[in-house]
Amino acid sequence: MANNDYSDALVGKDIPILSKDEKWQQLFLLSPKTPKIKELEAELNKLVNIQEKTREKIKDIKRLKKKLLGEIVVLRDDAGKNPKKRKKIEAEIDDHTRLIKECNDKIEECEDDMLGLPREIYQIDYQLMIETMNIFYKRMHDNTLEIDAVDEWISKVRVQLKKNIIRMQEKELENFNVYSYMHNIFGPEVIDLFDLKYDPEKRHPVIRPGMTERDGIIVEDEKFTDN
């Protein structure tokens, strides 16, 4: 499958941050990560960490800004109640106003730093997705070829096994018949002289009540078998 096929399939899809995804990590218990996968994962983690730290920094600055704004409200109220301290309080208000402006500048700076991050993260994440799909598509393709080969082998062996079972039963039946004829003609004493390794009670492929022949194989019906 070509990369273009992957691209078409992924249009409009919400791709998770793979390096942070537990199921993606579990994939590589089946196959080790390639150098390319490790490189993309490290780059993705770096960008995601920068994004997370920048977001936390913005939150901290906004908390400070909110605190400063709250303090300015109190200071202005104090300035109205204490005319003698107004000059000092106004200086504090000016200082708070300066700090708030610095907060706004830092927030704007952080937001500027983050402008391109989502796109960079998506691009690296997308490359990691493509690389992952290439690896495991090939693995599944190779597995399928092996599965098909083994399945074909099993089919051939199954046919050969069936033929050999029929052949074995034919030879057992022949032995039984030969043994029976010789036993009847010459008697047990003469047969014992030949020291034949044959147990007619154990190997008896003769069809009796409760037995049937299926495709040349003698089988015993379940209702006649001992439990």
Side-chain angles (χ1 to χ4, degrees), residues 72-82 89 93:
I72 282 181
V73 172
V74 174
L75 286 169
R76 283 175 177 166
D77 187 53
D78 288 345
K81 295 177 181 179
N82 299 288
I89 293 173
I93 291 173

Side-chain angles (χ1 to χ4, degrees), residues 41-55:
E41 182 183 14
E43 190 172 353
L44 181 60
N45 282 335
K46 179 182 176 182
L47 292 172
V48 170
N49 289 339
I50 291 173
Q51 186 181 55
E52 289 175 350
K53 288 180 179 178
T54 306
R55 283 175 176 168

Side-chain angles (χ1 to χ4, degrees), residues 7-224:
S7 301
D8 293 342
L10 292 172
V11 170
K13 300 293 182 182
D14 183 22
I15 305 174
I17 301 299
L18 294 179
S19 59
K20 304 294 184 180
D21 189 275
E22 185 178 346
K23 291 180 181 178
W24 181 82
Q25 295 290 354
Q26 288 175 350
L27 261 180
F28 290 94
L29 296 176
L30 306 174
S31 180
K33 293 176 181 176
T34 63
K36 181 66 174 177
I37 288 286
K38 290 179 180 178
E39 178 187 343
L40 289 169
E41 182 183 14
E43 190 172 353
L44 181 60
N45 282 335
K46 179 182 176 182
L47 292 172
V48 170
N49 289 339
I50 291 173
Q51 186 181 55
E52 289 175 350
K53 288 180 179 178
T54 306
R55 283 175 176 168
E56 282 303 313
K57 185 176 180 180
I58 290 174
K59 287 180 182 178
D60 290 341
I61 295 171
K62 284 183 176 180
R63 278 193 288 267
L64 175 59
K65 178 183 173 182
K66 184 178 180 180
K67 178 176 178 292
L68 291 169
L69 287 169
E71 289 176 354
I72 282 181
V73 172
V74 174
L75 286 169
R76 283 175 177 166
D77 187 53
D78 288 345
K81 295 177 181 179
N82 299 288
K84 293 181 180 179
K85 296 183 179 180
R86 180 174 295 172
K87 191 172 182 180
K88 181 181 177 183
I89 293 173
E90 285 178 349
E92 289 185 48
I93 291 173
D94 289 342
D95 190 53
H96 275 58
T97 302
R98 177 183 60 79
L99 291 173
I100 289 170
K101 183 179 182 305
E102 287 181 6
C103 286
N104 288 334
D105 292 341
K106 287 179 181 178
I107 289 171
E108 186 176 348
E109 182 182 338
C110 288
E111 288 176 343
D112 286 344
D113 291 341
M114 285 185 64
L115 276 178
L117 270 178
R119 182 173 179 80
E120 285 185 67
I121 288 172
Y122 178 82
Q123 288 175 339
I124 299 299
D125 200 29
Y126 181 84
Q127 290 179 44
L128 191 55
M129 171 69 84
I130 296 298
E131 192 67 23
T132 300
M133 293 182 76
N134 283 334
I135 290 170
F136 287 99
Y137 175 82
K138 182 180 184 305
R139 188 176 179 88
M140 289 183 69
H141 177 72
D142 293 345
N143 284 345
T144 300
L145 291 177
E146 188 171 348
I147 288 167
D148 290 342
V150 172
D151 185 56
E152 183 179 355
W153 178 84
I154 289 172
S155 297
K156 290 178 180 177
V157 169
R158 186 181 290 117
V159 172
Q160 189 61 43
L161 177 63
K162 183 178 178 180
K163 289 179 179 178
N164 284 337
I165 289 174
I166 294 171
R167 184 182 177 192
M168 180 187 71
Q169 291 184 337
E170 287 174 345
K171 296 301 179 183
E172 286 183 339
L173 182 58
E174 183 179 325
N175 271 359
F176 183 82
N177 289 333
V178 169
Y179 176 86
S180 299
Y181 288 137
M182 291 178 68
H183 186 276
N184 291 335
I185 295 169
F186 302 114
E189 293 82 4
V190 175
I191 295 299
D192 288 343
L193 292 176
F194 288 95
D195 191 26
L196 292 175
K197 304 297 183 182
Y198 181 75
D199 183 357
E201 297 300 323
K202 182 177 180 181
R203 309 190 71 84
H204 49 74
V206 179
I207 300 177
R208 307 190 317 267
M211 302 180 71
T212 56
E213 183 178 350
R214 298 175 190 167
D215 298 326
I217 301 174
I218 299 170
V219 296
E220 199 164 2
D221 292 345
E222 290 184 5
K223 64 180 181 179
F224 287 93

